[in-house]
Amino acid sequence: MKDYEKQADSDDVLSRHTAEYNLSVAMSNPQLKEQTDQNQKLKKALEARHLSMIAIGGALGTGLLIGTGTALRTGGPAAIFITYSLVGFVVFMVLSALGEVATFIPLADGFAGYCRRYVDEALGFACGWVYLFKYLLLPPNQLVAGALVMQFWVDKDRVNPGVWIAVFLVIITAVNVLGVRFFGEIEFWLSSVKVVTCLGLIILMLCVALGGSPSGDRLGFRYWKDPGAFKEYLDSSRDLHIGGPTGRFVSFVAVLVTTIFAYTGSELVGITFAECARPRKAIPKAIKLTFYRILLFYICSVLLLGMCVSSSDGKLLGASGNTASASPFVIAITNAKIKGLDHVINACILIFVMSAANSDMYICSRTVYGLAVAGYAPYFFSKTNKMGVPMYGIALCFAFCLLAFMTTSSSAADIFNHFVNVVSLTGLITWTCILFLHMRFMKALKVQGYSRKKDLAFRSPFQPFGTYFAFSMCCFLILAKNFTVFLGNDFPYETFITGYIVLPVFIIMLFGWKFWKKTRLIPVNEVDLDTYRDVVDYEEEQFQAKDAEDKAIREAQGNPRDFKWFYDKVFGWIF
């Protein structure tokens, strides 16, 4: 009888925690509010394939297709290969750290929620708002990039760029008001196009490097010898040249800073963790596959690009903008005398830009919603419509997207460029917060007697030194972001101010909230590692039971090689 009573008490606690967890998710997650009202248990919309593609789709953007040209021109082929590899490892450690924390107990209010639970409420406030600043100004930046891409086909004298901005703004707004399931499907297919484009470019660059192009020229590592693997630092706009080993080191650090922004957006998958079905399976898969994709799409791409395009190429030195003509891949295609592909690449760049704008508006609306629910932003941003969409958050992002129309004036375009420089530091600050959060989480596990090997569904590799190294790298890059302003005889103060202004703002918000609310750094022995864990454990047990049932059914059917099997075995590692 006592055992029965204990079991009943245990069931009551689990039921109560499940109800509380469902309520917490409903309050912090607009997509699940309607489901919870219907008493459905955590029946979430995003599947593993959505989450996996959003993870890589968030990182694959114009930074890879176009930004690599600036990096190659500045540092040389060896510099971009080393820096993309180094920053790729940092990104993998950031995602792994976030994945370890999120799979333990998934929280619906994103980075701010994890910081508030495991570190300090003030850090949650500061990190959440800095992340919101980033995604308030990124969508209009993407819309401007889309208008520039269209100018490859239609001159701005024929069609005002504002027309394209308006069209793209209507499209991304329409996609976002239709809910997370529709967003997930759209991003899955757009990201699939990104992956196919990158794979195609890698194969094409390999053929060009080996002499398989119409020119028949076998390039190999020719450009690593002449003009060289590393370049001396040169800034023609400031008439600044630093020669010798010092100049090559300065160029390397400058490229290291530039490389960060090619990877910016990789962490946005963390916002979707609370909306995925079965997070303890989907999150580790998304993160592990992201490592291989970074290795393939970024590191292989820049290695082959450095083989196919000279860092002193005249077209590379004169390239600007966001059209296909500014892409080093198109320059390689042109030099290889391959005709017609420039239009294809420009169309792919447009898809990259639209995907980025779409996901940026989604993340912006969810971030401000989470801040409102946590009490960090005005309450009305936490309201949703009948479909569970945070319309006030989308309206706020829409309003900031109107800044894109400033580029129709040349003077306003200069101001807008300063806006972009302001938010470029926010990604690094967010990565640093995630890594610090992970360090505190690991220490709390150790102090409270948990085993990372036994009690975690997913463990970040190379710990604790991997997180320490990545954290140190992010701190260094935050300070070194615009270090070139201190070189030379002049001092471009506008670049300095807009490049670093976010850092003091973050510090002021952190300590301002701390003093106002009298918060404290949570001692590791007091960090809450238990609340709702029983609910997540029970939910995972239900998924495992269903998996076992599905496996038995498939075995009874003779393990048919249907579409699900074909996708998992053949395309799952890519898509």
Side-chain angles (χ1 to χ4, degrees), residues 87 90-91 94 127 130-131 134 256-265 267 422-436 470-482 499-500 502-503 506:
V87 176
V90 171
V91 170
V94 170
C127 181
V130 164
Y131 201 64
K134 173 184 176 181
L256 185 63
V257 173
T258 303
T259 303
I260 285 289
F261 307 111
Y263 285 102
T264 295
E267 79 291 333
V422 167
V423 300
S424 60
L425 191 63
T426 58
L428 274 171
I429 293 177
T430 303
W431 292 358
T432 306
C433 291
I434 293 171
L435 293 166
F436 182 71
F471 180 79
S472 301
M473 279 292 300
C474 287
C475 291
F476 167 74
L477 290 168
I478 286 174
L479 299 177
K481 177 184 175 293
N482 284 101
Y500 286 105
V502 175
L503 183 58
F506 171 78

Side-chain angles (χ1 to χ4, degrees), residues 90-104:
V90 171
V91 170
F92 176 63
M93 295 314 305
V94 170
L95 291 178
S96 297
L98 181 60
E100 180 175 309
V101 176
T103 52
F104 187 67

Side-chain angles (χ1 to χ4, degrees), residues 91-247:
V91 170
F92 176 63
M93 295 314 305
V94 170
L95 291 178
S96 297
L98 181 60
E100 180 175 309
V101 176
T103 52
F104 187 67
I105 302 176
L107 298 178
D109 42 358
F111 311 130
Y114 294 116
C115 290
R116 183 174 64 248
R117 176 163 178 152
Y118 298 119
V119 185
D120 186 350
E121 182 181 342
L123 184 65
F125 171 78
C127 181
W129 271 101
V130 164
Y131 201 64
L132 177 62
F133 293 158
K134 173 184 176 181
Y135 282 99
L136 283 175
L137 291 179
L138 271 181
N141 181 43
Q142 301 292 358
L143 294 175
V144 172
L148 292 173
V149 170
M150 292 303 299
Q151 290 177 26
F152 183 79
W153 293 305
V154 183
D155 189 82
K156 63 180 180 180
D157 294 329
R158 287 186 55 195
V159 178
N160 191 293
V163 174
W164 302 119
I165 291 173
V167 171
F168 297 149
L169 179 56
V170 170
I171 292 174
I172 65 172
T173 304
V175 170
N176 273 272
V177 299
L178 294 177
V180 70
R181 179 69 186 189
F182 188 75
F183 165 82
E185 285 297 331
I186 291 292
E187 273 304 298
F188 175 82
W189 292 109
L190 289 178
S191 296
S192 298
V193 173
K194 292 181 179 182
V195 170
V196 171
T197 300
C198 291
L199 285 176
L201 288 174
I202 289 172
I203 295 172
L204 180 61
M205 291 299 103
L206 181 61
C207 293
V208 171
L210 297 178
S213 66
S215 68
D217 189 8
R218 188 181 180 91
L219 298 173
F221 285 90
R222 178 189 307 171
Y223 297 132
W224 286 56
K225 296 180 181 179
D226 183 21
F230 296 91
K231 291 189 65 177
E232 298 175 347
Y233 184 76
L234 175 65
D235 186 350
S236 56
S237 64
R238 299 172 58 197
D239 195 24
L240 176 62
H241 175 257
I242 302 176
T246 302

Side-chain angles (χ1 to χ4, degrees), residues 346-358:
N346 199 64
C348 293
I349 293 175
L350 181 61
I351 293 175
F352 276 45
V353 170
M354 289 300 297
S355 172
N358 183 42

Side-chain angles (χ1 to χ4, degrees), residues 70-84:
T70 302
L72 179 61
R73 179 180 61 193
T74 302
I80 64 169
F81 176 69
I82 295 173
T83 56
Y84 270 77

